[in-house]
Amino acid sequence: QFPFAVSCKDPDHEKKKVGELFTAFRRAKEQAGENTDRLTLEVFQQFVRQKTEQLKEQKSAHEVEYVVTLEGKHARLKARVKS
């Protein structure tokens, strides 16, 4: 189930993908024993929107891939540019 990856071009129009990414990240945090009380879908969507725009501008990319991984006792969300 991890790593879990999803690619986004426009998170505002890909709510299903962002929702799946949120669910995977939340599950990873729970598995790692991390607190998820303040992790809401609304805040997560805002983060993904900002990060996608930032990377698209900085790297002249069309798409950003997000990957959820479990590293030891920590859940990680990584963003990388897809050209």
Side-chain angles (χ1 to χ4, degrees):
Q1 107 195 42
F2 298 108
F4 174 87
V6 79
S7 295
C8 284
K9 290 181 184 173
D10 183 357
D12 288 331
H13 291 96
E14 298 174 291
K15 293 202 184 300
K16 185 172 187 263
K17 283 184 180 182
V18 176
E20 291 169 355
L21 185 63
F22 171 76
T23 301
F25 187 53
R26 188 177 184 96
R27 199 175 308 126
K29 285 180 84 63
E30 287 168 352
Q31 260 184 267
E34 294 180 37
N35 190 334
T36 59
D37 290 350
R38 295 190 3 233
L39 180 64
T40 66
L41 180 56
E42 188 178 321
V43 169
F44 188 78
Q45 281 176 323
Q46 187 177 357
F47 168 79
V48 171
R49 181 185 315 117
Q50 289 173 342
K51 192 54 136 176
T52 301
E53 288 305 312
Q54 177 189 2
L55 287 173
K56 282 168 65 175
E57 281 177 28
Q58 284 177 353
K59 311 283 186 190
S60 301
H62 298 290
E63 201 169 359
V64 177
E65 181 180 49
Y66 290 91
V67 182
V68 175
T69 59
L70 264 176
E71 296 177 10
K73 295 190 184 292
H74 297 287
R76 297 273 183 250
L77 177 62
K78 298 177 182 174
R80 52 184 179 216
V81 171
K82 290 185 86 177
S83 43

